[in-house]
Amino acid sequence: MNQEPREPVDPGLERSLRRYYADTALRPVPVGLAGRVRGGFERPARRGMSLATLAAAAAVVVLLAAVVGSPGLVGRGDERPSGGPLVSPTGAAPTRSVSFDARGIPTTIDGEPVLTGADIGRHVTAATDDTPFLIGGTVESVAIFCAMIPAYPSPNPLLQPCNGLQIDGYRLVWSPSSSSARGIDLSGPMILRVHVHDPGAASCPTTQRADCEQAIVVDERIFLSTTTGTGRDVEGLPTAIEGEPVLVGGDIDARVATIADGSSFLVGGFVHRSATVCPRAVLQPPVNPLLPECPMDLQLEGGRTLVDEHSSLAGFGDGPMVLRVHAHDRRATACPAGVRDRCERLLFVDAVAYQGSLRLPVAQP
Amino acid sequence: MDVELVRAEGWATEDRDTTVRLALEAELTGAYRLAWWILRDAAAAEDAVAEAMLRAWERRRSLRDGTAVEAWFTRILVNVCRDTQRRKMRSEPALLRDAVIAIDPGVDLVDRDEIDRALARLTHDERMLLALRFGRDLAVPEIARRLDVPEGTAKSRLHAALAHLRAAVEAGRRDTGPR
């Protein structure tokens, strides 16, 4: 193909370049790219926006909602009108300024820093009194390991090794007086107002006093919300995007049960990646490569297993999202009869359509 | 069998979707290499190829000639790579074009690591041109066709890219001391 006669301007460099490209051409094409591309050929046409545009738009919406002061900005859980909506659709929640890090965790709220990661530990070590401070991160349950831990030799509530929750690896203790923080469906990224050096530490045995003093006691949970699209459900997610409904909860199951083709649809809810070792009891036998080894690894709210073959969720932290998914993947027909139903119901992530902010409070009875 | 003939026949028999699809799938490996050469990031290259394939598929009705898929797809891929680069918002490397370029057009070979570091200092468009010319081994008229620019423009940009590469190599040598 290269037939153009021309004078080489730098023959040594050109030879080096050719050799460089010849060497690096051996770089293997990533496994899965072909399938990803073929999957794209078989999906219905996108609706005008590229994945990147959608992701960027979602990020902009989240930031705008937070920074410009859209309805339902940052509201403390105990500030909502009793019996009414958790955050008023008309914008009754106070406006606050928030900035976010890459995980979607605010770095500051009204100028108050939100400590994350190792900064939490540093602050806990340095604190000398029970002045509250904000921490942020991914709250997760560690309760599954409690059965393996010998009973802790103290009844003091500040020493609860198996209370089941930690944030970015730091164990949390619920303050007896913290009503808004009490453990309701707590998992995923969130902001908590906490304190250390709780007065209750004074009653701890001397040998455990240091642990008690450094126990991170949760005073309250700080909620964020977002608004966008043509409506908003209690999770702060749009109820529809460009006229296409966002299915949540049981509607997802109904859709999967009634429409058996592989067409895509939008689902909304809290997306959670398990950060813990998969419990042996739920490990799937390798009966079919379609089934994830651990169905708990990536889930949509309600225990619905997600399969993210194309790494659409890479770069997104846990949180409320709207995803374009399909069930009844054509490969499901190859699953053995015993697990066919599970294969058919798997939700394959095609794209992230919207990323919400931190979760709104769950309505309490 | 002549691939172009098959494509022309497929086009003529109205089985255009299949023709385009097969042509695009045949481009996959080359497209990934080109994207990697331009973006220098495996994950970004993979995403760019997937996105370009999808864009091409969605725009397949705009294709008027079944034998022109490669050139058409290369334009799309190059544009996606450009978009990717912009999104990454990486500051461009220090531009060398205004520097005093003391090129020694000698015939000394440059080792692979030096080339790699020098390429990293070029702009996205310069890497793209060099990859098409020396990686894909395309002649200047074909590069011009794929980038939809006049041949003279492609040629002068290619010359400039080579000069900048040489300057980047020399700069790299100065940074790391004499070899």
Side-chain angles (χ1 to χ4, degrees):
Chain A
M1 207 161 206
N2 177 14
Q3 297 158 352
E4 185 199 43
R6 65 192 187 92
E7 283 294 317
V9 294
D10 197 341
L13 184 61
E14 292 189 14
R15 275 204 302 279
S16 300
L17 261 178
R18 286 184 198 285
R19 201 173 56 191
Y20 170 84
Y21 285 120
D23 287 349
T24 53
L26 301 175
R27 176 177 292 277
V29 175
V31 178
L33 178 57
R36 184 176 172 186
V37 166
R38 289 191 191 106
F41 291 157
E42 289 162 11
R43 301 268 177 274
R46 294 179 297 187
R47 294 163 166 249
M49 282 203 284
S50 69
L51 302 187
T53 309
L54 276 170
V60 167
V61 165
V62 170
L63 282 173
L64 281 179
V67 176
V68 178
S70 295
L73 245 186
V74 180
R76 287 158 49 154
D78 54 2
E79 286 178 346
R80 65 180 184 268
S82 61
L86 299 168
V87 174
S88 164
T90 56
T95 299
R96 295 189 178 173
S97 66
V98 185
S99 56
F100 295 87
D101 70 7
R103 286 191 300 175
I105 303 288
T107 53
T108 61
I109 296 177
D110 284 350
E112 184 177 355
V114 179
L115 305 179
T116 57
D119 285 343
I120 298 174
R122 278 191 279 272
H123 187 90
V124 166
T125 305
T128 55
D129 59 28
D130 62 352
T131 304
F133 55 99
L134 295 177
I135 62 173
T138 303
V139 172
E140 61 184 356
S141 169
V142 293
I144 56 170
F145 296 117
C146 286
M148 294 181 278
I149 300 174
Y152 202 85
S154 169
N156 192 294
L158 290 174
L159 299 167
Q160 306 166 13
C162 287
N163 71 358
L165 292 165
Q166 61 182 22
I167 186 164
D168 281 3
Y170 294 96
R171 186 171 60 85
L172 299 170
V173 175
W174 302 121
S175 164
S177 60
S178 63
S179 58
S180 70
R182 213 159 28 229
I184 40 164
D185 195 15
L186 284 171
S187 67
M190 62 184 69
I191 309 300
L192 302 170
R193 186 175 295 284
V194 301
H195 70 267
V196 291
H197 296 291
D198 189 89
S203 62
C204 282
T206 310
T207 54
Q208 296 168 350
R209 183 74 53 82
D211 287 346
C212 289
E213 294 283 356
Q214 296 198 341
I216 302 174
V217 182
V218 180
D219 298 316
E220 64 175 346
R221 183 180 171 191
I222 307 295
F223 295 104
L224 303 181
S225 70
T226 59
T227 176
T228 187
T230 56
R232 187 185 61 195
D233 70 3
V234 292
E235 298 295 330
L237 292 173
T239 55
I241 293 178
E242 293 183 337
E244 184 176 355
V246 176
L247 305 180
V248 296
D251 288 346
I252 299 171
D253 305 325
R255 167 69 170 72
V256 172
T258 55
I259 300 180
D261 63 28
S263 58
S264 70
F265 51 100
L266 296 175
V267 298
F270 199 94
V271 174
H272 174 65
R273 282 183 192 75
S274 173
T276 57
V277 177
C278 190
R280 188 168 297 172
V282 301
L283 277 171
Q284 302 276 4
V287 288
N288 188 283
L290 200 60
L291 288 170
E293 202 170 69
C294 181
M296 289 173 67
D297 278 349
L298 182 63
Q299 290 194 329
L300 181 68
E301 194 169 314
R304 296 172 182 85
T305 300
L306 295 170
V307 179
D308 186 23
E309 289 182 302
H310 309 322
S311 302
S312 301
L313 290 164
F316 290 92
D318 289 5
M321 292 185 193
V322 175
L323 304 175
R324 179 166 291 286
V325 301
H326 72 274
H328 304 292
D329 188 275
R330 58 194 163 85
R331 290 165 294 173
T333 55
C335 281
V339 294
R340 176 85 50 80
D341 186 51
R342 286 219 305 272
C343 290
E344 294 281 359
R345 282 187 283 111
L346 289 172
L347 297 178
F348 286 78
V349 180
D350 299 323
V352 176
Y354 175 84
Q355 182 186 23
S357 188
L358 292 181
R359 194 175 192 178
L360 282 172
V362 177
Q364 297 180 38
Chain B
M1 189 179 284
D2 185 348
V3 174
E4 299 225 332
L5 181 63
V6 171
R7 287 182 187 161
E9 285 178 356
W11 203 254
T13 56
E14 299 295 315
D15 191 9
R16 296 185 172 179
D17 279 3
T18 304
T19 305
V20 173
R21 180 175 171 157
L22 291 175
L24 287 175
E25 288 185 0
E27 284 288 296
L28 190 68
T29 303
Y32 176 73
R33 283 177 194 150
L34 181 60
W36 188 88
W37 285 331
I38 296 171
L39 297 170
R40 304 173 56 77
D41 179 308
E46 183 179 346
D47 285 347
V49 171
E51 176 66 22
M53 287 279 177
L54 207 49
R55 272 194 208 177
W57 184 245
E58 288 173 351
R59 296 174 190 172
R60 62 191 182 278
R61 308 288 180 207
S62 68
L63 188 63
R64 290 163 194 253
D65 178 358
T67 63
V69 174
E70 290 93 334
W72 170 73
F73 176 68
T74 302
R75 276 198 294 277
I76 294 174
L77 177 62
V78 162
N79 284 330
V80 170
C81 287
R82 256 190 205 122
D83 293 346
T84 302
Q85 196 76 1
R86 285 193 193 113
R87 278 202 302 272
K88 283 164 100 176
M89 294 179 71
R90 284 185 185 152
S91 57
E92 284 287 342
L95 293 179
L96 295 161
R97 56 179 61 82
D98 297 328
V100 177
I101 301 171
I103 298 177
D104 171 12
V107 292
D108 62 314
L109 289 177
V110 183
D111 73 30
R112 181 178 153 172
D113 289 344
E114 278 187 297
I115 289 282
D116 195 56
R117 285 193 296 272
L119 283 169
R121 301 174 78 148
L122 298 191
T123 65
H124 158 277
D125 281 355
E126 288 169 339
R127 283 202 297 272
M128 175 186 65
L129 278 163
L130 294 176
L132 288 172
R133 178 71 188 89
F134 300 104
R136 283 287 190 91
D137 202 25
L138 298 180
V140 172
E142 180 61 19
I143 293 173
R145 193 167 79 91
R146 296 200 177 199
L147 299 182
D148 208 15
V149 296
E151 196 178 319
T153 304
K155 186 178 258 179
S156 61
R157 286 183 188 169
L158 187 58
H159 258 265
L162 268 174
H164 293 149
L165 182 69
R166 168 54 79 181
V169 168
E170 299 297 334
R173 286 178 179 174
R174 280 196 300 275
D175 291 347
T176 57
R179 291 201 307 166

